[in-house]
Amino acid sequence: MRIDTLEILRCPFCGGPLELVTSLFHSRTDLEIRDGVLACECCTFPVVDGIPVMHLRPNAGLARSHVEQGDPDLALRAMIGLERPQDAERFEAAARTSSSTFRDIVEAMGSGFEGGYFLYRFSDPTFVVSQAVVRAVASTVLRQGGRAIDMCGGSGHITRSLLDLSTPPPVLADLYFSKIWLARRFTAPGCEPVCCDGNGGFPFERGSFAYAMCSDAFMFIWTKRGFIDEMCRVVDRAGSPGTVVVTHTHNQLVWSPSHGNPLTPTGYRGLFETRRVRSFAEAGLFHDVVAGGPLDLSRGDSGAALDTDPALTLIATDHARVFSKHALEAPGAPRGVYRINPLYETTTEGSRIRLKLRFPNEAYETEYGACRAYLPDETSIESAALGRLQAGGSTDELSDLIKRRAIVDLPRQYY
Ligand SMILES: [Zn+2]
């Protein structure tokens, strides 16, 4: 973790500041703490492989005792959740190898990590809408600077969309250590990961951020009122109430896969109490994105549109310009590397590559089949054109397939 993160980090229980306990084992440079123990007036928390662990779950206690005993490797094993030595060694070998991909390390972790769907995350309909909303809102409210936090951001797919908008770099917070550890290495390099529990007080000082978001996770939070209070608190700076965005939260009135514990549209609005919040039905935003823009955040969705949509987006901000029409960003230089979407089966036919859409299984198709609205069933690409694009050439030649997400900008060493 960056040393300057201590300026915003606070104990989730007593609210006090934290400092590195220098009388215990620690490793640090002038800029970063790699391993050690942080203390406030009430608790101690471990820093494991550069990530502060700001909760008191059993794995955190185990990791803290390993750090105190000067064994950071065992602390990392405890946080990744690897108990058997052979599993831990397989993970550590993959982690040590610089050529390991995101997929290699997920496989070495041996978990049913996100059901393997992470591979397709960058083109699934939930992501596509959330990304468009995040880019539109965050680029508007962070134009004059300010920091973003992606709460419950998992393995950092959406955090990646904040990397060039947030100053200092965005904080990625999640309870699952292995996800944020992967995010820092692959999906959102440069982000500041913090391991914490969204069902409690957030481990940050009031007003640490200008923009707080939570994507595709809020329905899994039980303490929803406390969560929104905390989102509002961490963006509350004197004179500027900041911006809170919740994308893709399920609707209690409409069943959806991985339903969680959602509220009704009215229930969600009530959580914001005195703060003004606008709600959007995801279908309308999805339609805007599929149509190529603009993303119309000036719309006022009817009660019926909200009540019948499986997923909602909530935006609380005082920046009036957020609630307008936003052009979608045109394809440009990739953040990672342009590759053929892994949902396609490819065969080479002479000088062309033929692409055929193939879902990994029926469950994926049930949950994410709406991607057919933009992913062509079949298409083909001139091999040389893909080569030129991957060599850093202009996106003009293949811009249509990039817009349709048949070609996606993926993190380096993703799979
Ligand atoms: Zn404390």
Side-chain angles (χ1 to χ4, degrees):
M1 61 178 282
R2 299 159 56 121
I3 299 272
D4 61 12
T5 297
L6 287 174
E7 291 166 18
I8 60 165
L9 206 61
R10 294 292 179 272
C11 170
F13 307 105
C14 71
L18 293 128
E19 56 182 42
L20 181 66
V21 182
T22 51
S23 58
L24 291 171
F25 171 84
H26 63 279
S27 64
R28 60 166 288 178
T29 65
D30 286 345
L31 295 175
E32 290 184 331
I33 302 169
R34 185 173 173 85
D35 303 286
V37 174
L38 303 176
C40 60
E41 290 183 11
C42 79
C43 293
T44 54
F45 302 93
V47 179
V48 179
D49 201 13
I51 300 178
V53 180
M54 305 304 295
H55 59 78
L56 301 177
R57 301 229 173 181
N59 57 344
L62 187 60
R64 195 194 58 220
S65 62
H66 287 312
V67 172
E68 286 174 1
Q69 285 153 27
D71 203 334
D73 291 347
L74 283 185
L76 180 59
R77 285 186 186 188
M79 288 313 301
I80 300 282
L82 299 167
E83 278 157 27
R84 297 190 311 166
Q86 61 266 45
D87 295 339
E89 282 156 22
R90 195 177 56 227
F91 162 73
E92 284 162 5
R96 264 197 309 274
T97 307
S98 60
S99 60
S100 288
T101 62
F102 184 99
R103 179 193 235 169
D104 292 336
I105 295 186
V106 166
E107 285 173 2
M109 284 172 173
S111 55
F113 201 78
E114 294 182 329
Y117 292 169
F118 68 85
L119 262 191
Y120 318 114
R121 194 70 187 159
F122 289 107
S123 66
D124 79 40
T126 303
F127 175 86
V128 164
V129 173
S130 289
Q131 185 193 36
V133 171
V134 168
R135 293 297 297 178
V137 180
S139 67
T140 304
V141 306
L142 299 175
R143 192 164 292 156
Q144 313 294 338
R147 193 170 203 178
I149 179 167
D150 184 5
M151 214 36 222
C152 309
S155 36
H157 292 86
I158 283 286
T159 321
R160 185 176 178 80
S161 299
L162 295 168
L163 289 173
D164 63 332
L165 300 177
S166 173
T167 325
V171 167
L172 165 59
D174 201 280
L175 182 58
Y176 295 97
F177 184 94
S178 47
K179 293 190 180 188
I180 59 179
W181 185 93
L182 280 163
R184 183 185 56 187
R185 176 155 168 172
F186 295 102
T187 31
C191 78
E192 181 74 341
V194 174
C195 187
C196 63
D197 187 351
N199 280 294
F202 293 0
F204 304 103
E205 173 156 65
R206 177 176 293 273
S208 297
F209 304 96
Y211 173 92
M213 67 165 303
C214 174
S215 177
D216 197 9
F218 188 46
M219 58 277 186
F220 302 117
I221 294 290
W222 182 248
T223 53
K224 291 187 179 60
R225 192 174 79 167
F227 187 95
I228 294 298
D229 283 350
E230 284 292 87
M231 292 283 269
C232 294
R233 184 183 66 80
V234 298
V235 298
D236 174 32
R237 293 190 287 189
S240 165
T243 296
V244 173
V245 175
V246 175
T247 66
H248 197 83
T249 189
H250 289 158
N251 180 356
Q252 189 181 97
L253 303 176
V254 186
W255 179 87
S256 50
S258 50
H259 202 46
N261 297 295
L263 301 184
T264 63
T266 309
Y268 282 124
R269 266 197 305 278
L271 296 171
F272 288 81
E273 298 191 326
T274 54
R275 280 212 68 178
R276 276 176 303 169
V277 60
R278 286 215 208 177
S279 324
F280 300 88
E282 194 166 286
L285 303 176
F286 181 70
H287 180 266
D288 289 352
V289 173
V290 171
L295 183 75
D296 185 3
L297 297 180
S298 71
R299 58 161 42 92
D301 282 333
S302 67
L306 296 169
D307 286 352
T308 55
D309 202 298
L312 307 166
T313 287
L314 314 167
I315 302 175
T317 184
D318 284 11
H319 290 258
R321 270 187 305 182
V322 165
F323 300 116
S324 59
K325 292 182 177 174
H326 300 262
L328 297 184
E329 290 166 310
R335 177 166 288 284
V337 55
Y338 278 121
R339 295 177 70 173
I340 292 173
N341 187 324
L343 282 171
Y344 284 94
E345 189 179 83
T346 59
T347 45
T348 304
E349 286 177 2
S351 64
R352 299 189 73 80
I353 306 168
R354 179 160 288 285
L355 276 57
K356 227 176 152 128
L357 188 61
R358 278 259 187 277
F359 293 113
N361 53 45
E362 244 176 72
Y364 183 89
E365 189 167 0
T366 304
E367 189 161 0
Y368 300 112
C371 64
R372 286 186 187 280
Y374 45 89
L375 292 177
D377 272 341
E378 285 190 45
T379 186
S380 72
I381 301 174
E382 194 199 329
S383 306
L386 183 62
R388 285 190 289 275
L389 178 69
Q390 290 178 330
S394 160
T395 53
D396 293 351
E397 208 173 357
L398 294 170
S399 68
D400 185 53
L401 287 175
I402 297 170
K403 284 179 191 160
R404 295 193 70 178
R405 311 242 173 189
I407 296 173
V408 270
D409 175 6
L410 294 178
R412 291 183 188 281
Q413 295 184 235
Y414 194 50
Y415 72 100

